[in-house]
Structure formats: structure tokens, C-alpha cells
Amino acid sequence: MRKFMPQPGFVVQAYRYALDPSATTRQMMFSHCGAARASFNWAVTWVEASWWQRRAEESYGVPEDGLTHWRPWSLPALRKVFNEAKKIDPRFAGWWEENSKEAYSTGLANAAAAFDNYAKSKQGKRKGKRVGMPRRKSKHRARLACRFTTGTIRVEADRRHVTLPRLGTIRTHESTRKLERRVSNGTARILSATIRYERGRWFVSFQVEVKRELERVARPQVAVGVDLGVKVLAVMADSLGEIRCIPNPAHYDTALKTLGRMSRRVCRRQGPDRRTGQKPSKRWLKANTERNRVHHRVAHLRADALHKLTTTITSEYGTVVVEDLNVAGMLRNRRLARKIADAGFGEIRRQITYKTKRNGCRTVVASRWYPSSKTCSDCGAVKAKLPLHVRVFDCDSCPLVMDRDENAARNLAALAAACMTGTGVAGDQDARAPKPRGADRKTRVTRPSRKAEAGRAGGTRLPHQQQKETRDRTQTKALTLW
């Protein structure tokens, strides 16, 4: 799939709507998504066949010149070969004409992207975890999705129907007024549409090129620090000294009792068993649907609450400071994993990042090692240790006593002021704040041994004491920059 470059003054965004398809249309949508999965599996098998053939030939001592040629995995090459193979391949004979060509292009494009990611990851050109070889998608576990880039893709004038290639006109569960009004005014152009089955419903997402002006925030000169937590979802402290606390709705914890009761009901029914071929009973399907409905409601409530929170922040402040939290590492804590996942720390940062760009504001990302909770927001002294169960910050150098989350939010707000005044990162969008401790990792704090205390009492300084004093002077010098 080619990438669309928006024109000056235009941005590419998505409009997502729930669908209410008829039984016939629903069956056609399942067929299109199955066709995308089948073409993906064909591409993976076709490309990897040459890899295994070359490996077998190398084991027999075949020279490099005599090995089977590598099969290309670019999208144009896959399309060309697939269009010839689908007419003679028994896996597609008799039914491939029932679906739009876009369904097969979706699977081929996904396969090409998967092979590109694997190659770049193996060469060290891709960030993140190592990506393995593409694998075939299972019929039982694959996500159902199909993308349309050509053909009749439009939003009807009645604002309650959409038209897609081969699927025809489908009724939407909600009004499409926002998108239809922009398209009719000429301020938006639909680039593609993607149907997806998730959470028990069918959705359609339109990729739209929209003419959007910068939305002016209420207080562009004010910076705010956002400290995320579990007991309190977010504590916001702005540069004017105002403090706001957003309570954690804890949607999943609220629904745990209901989910437990419904899960026990599902366990008492006769469920599916792929090993023995046992099919689920109708009572199991009904109970499982009721349980899934609760899960879907929790997910929708969480998404709605996070969007309202991030929209409130980005529409009011000109600079937003967030922390670079190691969410994946935090989820390894078995005591807090459920609550951290329910809070959605990563989603909050993602939404703040793109919404500040939409409003022309600034996002400052504090370093992962920045001690926002351990630093005194009044005098700047840094505590050596501050356990998580200690919820009140009591400074050792000044009489400040404050809630630790409020203290962290104040430090983040001050970090934004330092970046704007030129002592830190030059307040650009998505700027990363410097490391005030002058280190790329946590400083190891240890208690002085008895031998060190005896040496200090006798007036002699040991080598490790001299190193500690040098490190303290370096940290103090770095902190004075703020």
C-alpha cells in the first residue's frame, strides 16, 4: 500500500463507525476477511518455500551459483504471481471471484510488510524487539480485517449509510454527520476504508485527508506536569501553582465481581475442545457472549475516559510534560500489573502526543531516570530512597511535607519551564528533557559501611569516599542548571 502524503494544511486522520449489517452482508464481510487471511498464508508459504529449498540444497553441497533464486516479497511481485496462481491453485478454485480484489491485496500487503519488518530487524535497522519470520495465520485466532483502497467508497448523504466495494450500502449504528459534512464541503477526501470485526461488532474506519486548522488552547503560556499513578490516575500541576487530581475510575476492578460470576457460569457449560473436536453447546455460546459483553463495556468505558482526560489537558495548556514510563517493565510486577494495565499509561501518553501536535502545542518527555518523586519541588534536594509505599514526601533539607504525586507533578511542571528558558531541551514538540543526574541509568545508592564511618570519624577519607564526594558534586552541579 502506498503512503499518502497530506497537502500543506491537511492532516490524515481516521473516522471510525460501528456498523449494523444485514445477515447477507455480514456473511460477505466474513468472506472478505477470510480471503485476506488466505492470501496472506499463500504469500508466506510461497516466499518461504524458496528459503527452505535453498537450505536443503546447501546441505547437499550445491554451490552458490546453483542454488534456487530468492523469491521476491514486494507487493507488486506478490500481486503478479498471485493473480496467476489463484486461477489454478485448488485452494482458491471456485470461490476467489466471490470477493473483491482488495481483500486479496490486503493479505498480500500485510505479508510484504511482515517480510520487510523481519529483514530490517535481522539487519538491525528496526527498533524494538527482534521480529521473527512471518507465520501463517490461524483460522481460529486471526483478527478479521479487510482494507479497501479503490472502488466505490463513500458516505451517503442520509448520514446513516456507507457504501463499500462489493459489499454495497451498509447501515451504520451511529450518525456519520461529522465526516459527511466535511466531504460535502470539500474539506475532506476519503483515501481508504477498513472493515474490522472486534468486540462482537463490525466497524469501518475511513482514512481521510482533512483540512484542519490549529485549535488554539485556553492557556498557551501555561505548562503542566502530569504524574500518572494507580490510586489517583493523574495529578496535574501547572506553572501557576494550581493542582488538579483526576481519580482513577478503575473500570476493570469495578466489573471483577460480575466477570467472576459469569466466568463460573461459562465453566459449567460444555465448551469447545479442539483436541477432541467437541463443539460448544448453545448454552455455552450464550454465556460466553454475555461475559464478552462485560469485557467490551469495560474497554469502551476506559477508552472514553482516557479520551476525555487527554482532550481536557491538551485543549487547556500550551506545554504538557509527561514521563517516559517503562510500562512493559511495570507490568512485570504481579501485584500492580492489573491496575497498571487498567489505567492505560501508554495510551495516555500516545493520545497526549498526537493531540498536542493537532493543537500546535509542545510535548516534553521527561527522562525515564529523572527522579521526579525523589526531588524536592521547593529546594531541589534529592532523596536517596523513597519506597513506593511511602505516599508523603518529607524533605530532609527543608520543612516541605507534601503528597509524593503532587510533588512529582510540580517537578515536571518546573522541568517544562527549564526547557522553555533554554537551560534544557529547546522546547520543540516531542522534546526529551535532559537527564539532570548526568547518567543514562539509575545511580546505585548504597549505605556507608562501618569501615567508611570509622574512616570518616578518624578524619581520613577512603578512595570510595572520594568517588562519592566527586559524584555528589557532579549531581549538585547538574541540578543547579535547573
Side-chain angles (χ1 to χ4, degrees), residues 403-418:
D403 181 78
R404 64 176 293 160
D405 295 335
E406 180 180 342
N407 177 69
R410 289 179 181 271
N411 287 325
L412 294 176
L415 193 63

Side-chain angles (χ1 to χ4, degrees), residues 228-291:
L228 302 178
V230 174
K231 290 187 176 181
V232 179
L233 181 60
V235 178
M236 299 181 293
D238 57 26
S239 55
L240 301 181
E242 299 180 4
I243 302 294
R244 296 174 59 184
C245 297
I246 307 299
N248 188 357
H251 299 293
Y252 186 75
D253 286 349
T254 305
L256 273 180
K257 185 176 180 180
T258 303
L259 286 173
R261 184 179 69 253
M262 292 189 172
S263 296
R264 290 189 295 271
R265 181 185 303 173
V266 172
C267 291
R268 289 193 292 265
R269 274 35 170 189
Q270 179 179 330
D273 192 344
R274 294 178 57 189
R275 295 173 298 179
T276 61
Q278 176 178 290
K279 294 184 179 181
S281 64
K282 293 184 179 180
R283 298 176 73 243
W284 185 92
L285 292 174
K286 181 179 179 180
N288 188 54
T289 302
E290 293 178 357
R291 180 181 59 176

Side-chain angles (χ1 to χ4, degrees), residues 138-335:
S138 171
K139 180 179 179 180
H140 304 280
R141 296 187 299 271
R143 294 183 178 181
L144 303 180
C146 178
R147 186 183 183 192
F148 301 92
T149 57
T150 59
T152 305
I153 304 175
R154 66 170 179 265
V155 180
E156 299 297 340
D158 61 355
R159 300 178 177 178
R160 292 310 301 254
H161 293 82
V162 296
T163 301
L164 300 175
R166 294 296 294 268
L167 299 178
T169 303
I170 309 173
R171 181 174 175 82
T172 59
H173 185 72
E174 50 195 329
S175 175
T176 60
R177 174 181 56 86
K178 292 184 178 181
L179 178 56
E180 194 278 332
R181 183 175 56 187
R182 282 186 171 273
V183 172
S184 60
N185 293 340
T187 59
R189 181 169 66 94
I190 298 178
L191 304 178
S192 65
T194 303
I195 59 172
R196 184 183 301 274
Y197 183 78
E198 59 182 21
R199 299 176 184 175
R201 296 192 67 99
W202 281 100
F203 295 87
V204 58
S205 300
F206 293 98
Q207 187 184 25
V208 186
E209 189 180 41
V210 181
K211 184 178 181 181
R212 178 182 291 277
E213 303 294 339
L214 293 180
E215 301 177 4
R216 186 169 180 82
V217 298
R219 296 191 289 177
Q221 302 300 329
V222 180
V224 62
V226 182
D227 181 76
L228 302 178
V230 174
K231 290 187 176 181
V232 179
L233 181 60
V235 178
M236 299 181 293
D238 57 26
S239 55
L240 301 181
E242 299 180 4
I243 302 294
R244 296 174 59 184
C245 297
I246 307 299
N248 188 357
H251 299 293
Y252 186 75
D253 286 349
T254 305
L256 273 180
K257 185 176 180 180
T258 303
L259 286 173
R261 184 179 69 253
M262 292 189 172
S263 296
R264 290 189 295 271
R265 181 185 303 173
V266 172
C267 291
R268 289 193 292 265
R269 274 35 170 189
Q270 179 179 330
D273 192 344
R274 294 178 57 189
R275 295 173 298 179
T276 61
Q278 176 178 290
K279 294 184 179 181
S281 64
K282 293 184 179 180
R283 298 176 73 243
W284 185 92
L285 292 174
K286 181 179 179 180
N288 188 54
T289 302
E290 293 178 357
R291 180 181 59 176
N292 291 340
R293 188 179 296 114
V294 179
H295 280 293
H296 302 159
R297 183 175 183 274
V298 170
H300 292 149
L301 289 175
R302 183 189 299 114
D304 180 70
L306 295 184
H307 272 291
K308 289 180 179 179
L309 171 62
T310 54
T311 301
T312 301
I313 296 174
T314 56
S315 62
E316 183 175 358
Y317 302 101
T319 304
V320 182
V321 186
V322 293
E323 292 180 297
D324 184 20
L325 299 175
N326 182 18
V327 181
M330 298 168 66
L331 291 176
R332 297 191 185 100
N333 187 339
R334 62 184 180 87
R335 299 181 183 274

Side-chain angles (χ1 to χ4, degrees), residues 385-444:
K385 290 185 179 180
L386 187 63
L388 188 61
H389 68 274
V390 179
R391 307 309 305 171
V392 178
F393 179 85
D394 188 0
C395 184
D396 301 331
S397 304
C398 69
L400 178 68
V401 178
M402 183 184 297
D403 181 78
R404 64 176 293 160
D405 295 335
E406 180 180 342
N407 177 69
R410 289 179 181 271
N411 287 325
L412 294 176
L415 193 63
C419 293
M420 290 187 290
T421 55
T423 57
V425 178
D428 298 330
Q429 287 190 358
D430 301 332
R432 284 185 174 271
K435 303 176 179 61
R437 294 191 290 174
D440 291 336
R441 58 187 178 86
K442 289 184 178 180
T443 304
R444 185 176 180 182

Side-chain angles (χ1 to χ4, degrees), residues 12-30:
V12 177
Q13 70 178 60
Y15 287 83
R16 187 167 183 261
Y17 300 101
L19 298 177
D20 284 336
S22 62
T24 304
T25 305
R26 189 182 300 109
Q27 186 64 29
M28 294 177 61
M29 296 166 77
F30 276 115

